[in-house]
């Protein structure tokens, strides 16, 4: 019987199989002549024969370190390579996940022990029996060639649960499709959205359900009728299976299709609608839906697809029912949507807008908002105000006067310090507490300047109808007591004085001596030469970006921060968005790595050494990572010479955009002891830059506080500034 072609794996998959880093795999390739030669792929992205790799690893005592989910991901890709069974699609396996979760661990073990042909027959029958529960699913047929992926799936379900297997299948299908922007709503955000629905709604709809995270959150709160629709068949199927696993007692109905153009539930009204709709979609059906009866609050402009989703949600609510939508901040202020926003406010349909911190959900660099709406009831009470909550600053705000200007603590560069992780407990507590108080007594709600305010409807009906929470909850001059602002000014001034002293010390410590009559000269080698000799490894992330890339391979690492070229230039910690990485196996940064911007130019440094705050971050696009062997190269010395103007110029190509070729960068060949002397000098140069940036920020903060206090009346010029001012009754 002919054997199927041997499977091939990438270097990233080898690293996961062996439980080592990709740099280790690169070292194996260079240092061991008997490491399997590439059997396919390209020179930059080689593929290796899986069995040859496993044999080589076994000869060195390396057993597979991949967890069941990673094993499933690998076997799915290998199945697609071999084009076996259904041709590599994973949709035939989704209903099998549901069947597997309904079996006991000992039953799954018995299935794993079956011969390949028997296993395929049993799996096909189990999946077909449940096909009707999965939208768009068809009876499936498995062959003995599918046995590896079937075993990997059953093992994953048994050891890590059905949701882990379901995610791996859906991610694989999405990778192979042209779909983009398929962000998964994080569980904490889904739970917050569900908590903003008063009471326990029986029936809930998500018209853009994606992976089903929002419906699952309501199911955890005992909602029993769950309806969903999604444009992508794999997402609808994933949502249906996931909900039946999460809430086996609930009635689950999920359909495939475009909810705005072809509503699968045209006559359905529910207690609640939760939705995280697509953003910025100009092809949502504006022309063909111009006279749609759902537009009770005004026809949305072509650029306002989000306001179409808002009205779609309201149309599916029973009178008095609530909708919670997660929307981009532009929806609150774009001029093209002002008429619809005004009508939503005037009618009382909009009840609250909650501003979230950046990083709450993909896209992580955008501070999203939650809109809470309620379908007006005929003859119901007049709704006189709208609640605005700003959790972006309110959840960890100290003194109210700090909102007069941006807090310097949030922007100070710490030489690579990472932004603090999102305080979900604080965000949820602030949003839910304010909303529940507002629901109990809208007219008696007590404002919290800088955190939450109930704004009268009449104040929102101006020309722009701007609904940005930060605008309405910000601390105004009248909210700040003079002594409070003066105390903040004293603290800022003290920080500035300490910073200037640190800057002076850094300037003194950066002292160097003249080399003599002529400049010192060294023998040099290129980074490529050093890499071939094993002194360092050169890594890089794919320069292209596409939404949703990194989450598929790194899994839980989709929430990691990403270090970008801009972070190196500004001297900040990692601020990038993992959801925008194309490279599904972007390298993880380790302390001591040397990071070099891939494009020359700008005002800041071209290179730096990764510090403790960078450790574990993903390497962003347009950044080269050079990982030195510390027994042969000093990291700070390497960074200093690599980032020099002459070195960067010599290694750059292009006319308008200068691309840096890391392999062409040159490094002096110096004894390690001498390297460390240079390294210490370069480290002091780095500290000088960092202290200078910090001093500038603190000076700006002090100046802002002074200006705000003087113009707001909380501060008066001192006697040394002139003759002094006595209150508001002084005369020239």
């Amino acid at each position: 019987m002919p054997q199927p072609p041997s499977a091939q794996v990438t270097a990233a998959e080898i690293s996961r199989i062996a439980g080592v880093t990709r740099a280790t795999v690169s070292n194996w390739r260079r240092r061991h002549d008997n490491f399997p030669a590439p059997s396919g792929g390209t020179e930059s992205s080689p593929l290796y024969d899986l069995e040859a790799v496993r044999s080589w690893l076994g000869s060195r005592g390396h057993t597979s370190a991949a967890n069941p989910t990673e094993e499933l991901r690998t076997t799915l890709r290998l199945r697609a390579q071999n084009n076996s069974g259904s041709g590599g699609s994973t949709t035939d396996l989704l209903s099998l996940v549901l069947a597997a979760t309904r079996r006991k661990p000992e039953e799954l073990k018995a299935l794993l022990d079956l011969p390949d042909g028997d296993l395929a027959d049993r799996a096909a029958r189990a999946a077909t029996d449940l096909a009707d529960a999965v939208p768009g699913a068809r009876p499936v047929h498995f062959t003995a060639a599918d046995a590896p992926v079937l075993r990997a799936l059953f093992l994953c379900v048994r050891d890590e649960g059905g949701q882990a297997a379901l995610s791996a299948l859906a991610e694989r299908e999405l990778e192979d499709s042209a779909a983009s922007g398929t962000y998964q709503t994080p569980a904490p955000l889904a739970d917050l959205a569900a908590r903003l629905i008063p009471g326990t709604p029986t029936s809930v709809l998500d018209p853009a359900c994606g992976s089903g995270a929002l419906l699952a959150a309501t199911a955890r709160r005992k909602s029993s009728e769950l309806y969903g629709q999604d444009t992508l068949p794999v997402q609808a199927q994933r949502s249906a299976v996931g909900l039946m696993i999460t809430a086996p007692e609930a009635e689950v109905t999920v359909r495939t299709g475009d909810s705005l153009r072809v509503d699968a539930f045209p006559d359905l009204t529910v207690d609640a609608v939760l939705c995280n709709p697509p953003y910025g979609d100009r092809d949502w059906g504006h022309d063909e839906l111009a006279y749609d009866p759902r537009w009770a609050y005004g026809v949305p402009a072509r650029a306002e697809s989000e306001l179409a989703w808002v009205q779609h949600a309201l149309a599916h609510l029973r009178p008095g029912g609530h909708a919670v939508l997660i929307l981009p901040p532009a929806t609150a202020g774009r001029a093209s949507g002002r008429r619809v926003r005004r009508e939503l406010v005037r009618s009382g349909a909009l009840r609250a807008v909650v501003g979230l911190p950046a990083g709450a959900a993909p896209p992580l660099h955008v501070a999203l908002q939650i809109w809470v709406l309620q379908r007006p009831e005929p003859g119901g009470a007049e709704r006189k105000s709208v609640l605005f909550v700003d959790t972006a600053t309110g959840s960890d705000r100290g003194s109210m006067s700090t909102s007069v200007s941006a807090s310097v603590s949030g922007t100070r560069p710490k030489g690579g310090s990472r932004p603090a992780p999102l305080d979900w407990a604080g965000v949820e507590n602030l949003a839910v507490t304010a909303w529940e108080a507002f629901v109990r007594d809208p007219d008696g709600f007590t404002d919290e300047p800088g955190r939450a305010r109930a704004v009268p409807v009449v104040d929102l009906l101006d020309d722009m109808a701007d609904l940005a929470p930060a605008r309405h909850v910000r601390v105004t001059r009248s909210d700040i007591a003079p002594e409070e602002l003066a105390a903040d000014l004293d603290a800022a001034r003290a920080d500035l004085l300490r910073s200037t002293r640190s800057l002076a010390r850094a300037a003194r410590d950066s002292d160097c001596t003249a080399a003599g009559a002529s400049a010192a000269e060294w023998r040099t080698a290129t980074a490529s030469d050093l890499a071939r000799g094993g002194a360092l490894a050169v890594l890089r992330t794919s320069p292209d970006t596409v939404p949703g890339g990194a989450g598929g391979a790194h899994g839980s690492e989709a929430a990691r921060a990403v270090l970008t070229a801009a972070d190196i230039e500004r001297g900040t910690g990692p601020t990038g968005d993992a959801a925008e990485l194309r490279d599904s196996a972007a390298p993880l940064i380790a302390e001591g790595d040397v990071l070099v911007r891939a494009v020359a130019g700008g005002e800041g440094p071209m290179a730096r050494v990764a510090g403790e705050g960078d450790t574990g971050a993903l390497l962003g696009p347009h950044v080269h990572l050079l990982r030195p062997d510390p027994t042969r190269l000093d990291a700070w010395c390497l960074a200093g010479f690599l980032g020099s103007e002459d070195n960067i110029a010599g290694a750059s190509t292009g006319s308008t955009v200068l691309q840096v070729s890391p392999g062409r960068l040159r490094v002096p060949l110096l004894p390690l002891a001498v390297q460390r002397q240079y390294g210490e000098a370069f480290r002091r140069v780095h500290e000088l830059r960092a202290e200078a940036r910090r001093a500038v920020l603190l000076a700006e903060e002090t100046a802002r506080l002074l200006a705000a206090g003087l113009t707001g009346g909380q501060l008066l010029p001192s006697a040394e500034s002139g003759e002094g001012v006595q209150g508001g009754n002084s005369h020239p």
Side-chain angles (χ1 to χ4, degrees), residues 448-460:
E448 296 182 68
R451 298 163 67 90
R453 265 201 174 105
V455 180
V457 166
V458 67
D459 293 347
L460 300 171

Side-chain angles (χ1 to χ4, degrees), residues 8-280:
Q8 295 178 308
V9 290
T10 64
E13 286 167 331
I14 295 173
S15 70
R16 289 197 291 270
I17 291 170
V20 297
T21 65
R22 290 182 67 184
T24 300
V25 176
S26 297
N27 285 333
W28 286 345
R29 291 168 52 194
R30 288 193 302 269
R31 296 183 178 183
H32 299 284
D33 294 336
N34 64 341
F35 188 85
S39 58
T42 64
E43 184 176 350
S44 59
S45 300
L47 294 173
Y48 302 86
D49 182 89
L50 175 59
E51 292 308 317
V53 168
R54 282 178 169 161
S55 176
W56 188 86
L57 292 172
S59 69
R60 296 177 55 83
H62 284 281
T63 57
S64 177
N67 59 37
T69 301
E70 290 296 344
E71 287 282 4
L72 177 58
R73 288 193 177 103
T74 299
T75 55
L76 287 171
R77 196 184 72 79
L78 302 181
R79 184 191 192 215
Q81 272 186 16
N82 294 334
N83 200 31
S84 65
S86 63
S89 171
T90 66
T91 55
D92 60 330
L93 297 167
L94 289 169
S95 54
L96 186 58
V97 173
L98 181 59
T101 59
R102 297 182 176 181
R103 283 170 165 75
K104 297 178 180 178
E106 53 269 24
E107 293 178 300
L108 291 175
K109 184 180 185 303
L111 286 171
L112 291 169
D113 293 336
L114 290 174
D116 290 355
D118 293 345
L119 175 63
D121 290 341
R122 292 280 296 274
R125 288 199 300 271
T128 300
D129 289 344
L130 292 174
D132 290 343
V134 181
R138 300 174 181 176
V140 298
H141 174 67
F142 297 120
T143 69
D146 293 306
V149 77
L150 297 175
R151 286 195 167 86
L153 187 149
F154 287 142
L155 187 64
C156 183
V157 171
R158 188 192 70 180
D159 293 353
E160 299 195 5
Q163 295 290 358
L166 189 62
S167 295
L169 294 177
E171 288 164 4
R172 179 67 208 174
E173 190 69 19
L174 290 170
E175 280 180 18
D176 290 341
S177 73
S180 63
T182 53
Y183 300 127
Q184 186 168 353
T185 305
L189 178 56
D191 288 334
L192 171 57
R195 288 193 65 185
L196 295 175
I197 301 291
T200 302
T202 299
S203 55
V204 183
L205 167 69
D206 184 346
C209 60
S211 64
L214 289 167
L215 289 172
T218 64
R220 289 191 289 270
R221 299 179 65 80
K222 307 306 181 186
S223 296
S224 57
E225 297 176 25
L226 308 175
Y227 301 90
Q229 183 172 353
D230 199 88
T231 304
L232 297 176
V234 65
Q235 289 290 69
Q237 294 166 350
R238 173 190 196 177
S239 182
V241 174
L243 290 171
M244 285 185 277
I245 294 173
T246 299
E249 303 302 322
E251 178 185 336
V252 176
T253 307
V254 181
R255 298 286 182 261
T256 300
D258 184 334
S259 292
L260 294 182
R261 285 188 171 93
V262 186
D263 189 354
F265 308 101
D267 302 320
L268 176 69
T269 56
V270 293
D271 300 326
V273 175
L274 285 88
C275 189
N276 186 359
Y279 306 150

Side-chain angles (χ1 to χ4, degrees), residues 281-284 286-287 300-305:
D281 180 12
R282 299 181 69 88
D283 186 28
W284 58 269
H286 173 268
D287 294 337
R302 188 182 303 277
E304 296 293 344
S305 63

